[in-house]
Amino acid sequence: MSIMLGIPSVDEMSAAVAALKRWQYDGGPLHLHSGDLGWYSLNGAEATAAALRMWSRDGEVLAIGLLDGPQLLRMAIAPHWRDDEELAHQIAADVDEPARGVLVRGGATVEARGAEPLTQVLLKRGWERDDPWTPFHRTLSDPVEDCGLRIETIGPDRAEEWVTVHWSAFRGSTFTDADRRLRVGRWLAMAGGPFYGDARSLLASDEHDNAVAVATVWSAGPGRPGLLEPMGVHRRHRGHGYGTAITLAAAAALRDMGSPSASVCVESSNVGAVATYASAGFTPSADVADLRRGPRR
């Protein structure tokens, strides 16, 4: 049978999540993780399903892509299909043809870590390597050292605290009442959605009870690598090691959830994030690059 490209319904997303969990293993590439779908589900379950693209043959899922916006496709390919040339050519043809419903015309980016045949096919089709990213990995076979801060797992009743720190860390702009209502509503949608059973959202407070840092971790199940996404420090509380502290707490949470290791990937140019993960005992792997078509985004 030929390779088929499809978009799952909300009810069919469980197959994508199960596949992504199976495809995570220590030593494997840091490609699309089930936790990435979980974080994207801030947009709601329906929007998450609509953003998924699944390549399959005879009922078997071969590859999954998440449209993280109309110009970015984040990919994972089943380990035993990663070197398949036919699949690589089919995916490349689909992402290059807007009528196939994957990427829009013009500038676009494909994140396909570990999928070397797909990378080579896209390069031959005129795509270029984009700026490098650094994958980080920490084994969790031993207990994680104490982070030195008070760490709490946040539930829906304290979503606003978590959201406020996250907004400050990544936006740095005025947090209006409208922003707060929107972001808290999206966080609650994520926490009430189909992925959050594999997650924990953490909040760190300093000795004065100021909320200083947040993180969310995503398990792929016992024995499979967990993901840290996102992590942020409140803009007013930077420079005190709180990023390292919340990262240690995140690693400890994943260990408690049965993950043998924790992973995260950051832009190599983000020297602060690179230093933070290294100071929390994460080991960098060789840089990886996305594939870019057209002008830089």
Side-chain angles (χ1 to χ4, degrees):
M1 293 182 66
S2 59
I3 297 171
M4 305 297 293
L5 168 63
I7 303 174
S9 66
V10 171
D11 291 339
E12 294 169 334
M13 275 198 299
S14 58
V17 174
L20 287 173
K21 288 180 178 180
R22 289 195 305 271
W23 300 348
Q24 312 300 322
Y25 59 93
D26 279 339
L30 185 49
H31 56 189
L32 187 69
H33 190 280
S34 54
D36 292 311
L37 272 60
W39 181 241
Y40 189 89
S41 71
L42 283 165
N43 300 296
E46 292 80 7
T48 304
L52 287 176
R53 299 296 181 269
M54 296 172 62
W55 286 263
S56 59
R57 172 185 279 161
D58 197 22
E60 179 186 4
V61 180
L62 312 180
I64 297 170
L66 172 67
L67 281 170
D68 203 351
Q71 296 175 289
L72 172 59
L73 180 70
R74 305 178 62 192
M75 293 286 308
I77 299 178
H80 55 290
W81 284 93
R82 201 171 292 144
D83 296 328
D84 187 86
E85 295 286 345
E86 181 185 359
L87 178 60
H89 281 277
Q90 183 64 60
I91 294 173
D94 289 336
V95 301
D96 256 346
E97 176 47 67
R100 296 292 292 154
V102 184
L103 290 169
V104 298
R105 193 176 303 279
T109 301
V110 171
E111 175 192 293
R113 299 168 188 158
E116 189 58 26
L118 175 58
T119 296
Q120 293 304 318
V121 171
L122 288 174
L123 290 172
K124 289 176 183 177
R125 295 175 73 105
W127 291 63
E128 300 176 355
R129 296 186 189 274
D130 208 349
D131 295 332
W133 290 67
T134 302
F136 280 89
H137 176 94
R138 173 170 173 152
T139 182
L140 301 176
S141 55
D142 295 323
V144 178
E145 56 268 41
D146 183 76
C147 73
L149 292 177
R150 178 164 58 87
I151 303 295
E152 298 173 274
T153 299
I154 297 302
D157 59 321
R158 298 181 64 191
E160 186 172 331
E161 293 178 68
W162 195 99
V163 166
T164 299
V165 176
H166 183 261
W167 178 276
S168 175
F170 288 93
R171 297 292 181 131
S173 58
T174 301
F175 198 28
T176 67
D177 288 340
D179 292 328
R180 183 176 291 103
R181 287 192 298 271
L182 174 63
R183 297 292 167 169
V184 170
R186 293 179 67 185
W187 193 96
L188 292 173
M190 176 188 72
F195 307 101
Y196 200 70
D198 296 320
R200 289 185 190 173
S201 288
L202 309 176
L203 183 142
S205 300
D206 66 10
E207 66 274 18
H208 304 295
D209 288 332
N210 296 308
V212 296
V214 294
T216 298
V217 294
W218 304 86
S219 168
R224 300 188 182 278
L227 179 71
L228 168 54
E229 172 63 30
M231 181 278 289
V233 177
H234 196 290
R235 196 164 293 265
R236 291 201 305 267
H237 297 284
R238 291 178 176 172
H240 302 286
Y242 297 147
T244 299
I246 193 69
T247 301
L248 287 170
L254 283 172
R255 187 175 189 272
D256 289 344
M257 297 166 77
S259 300
S261 61
S263 298
V264 66
C265 197
V266 299
E267 292 176 289
S268 303
S269 60
N270 189 340
V271 294
V274 168
T276 293
Y277 290 117
S279 68
F282 282 66
T283 301
S285 300
D287 285 355
V288 294
D290 298 339
L291 283 299
R292 174 174 52 85
R293 180 185 68 195
R296 292 186 182 275
R297 296 184 302 126

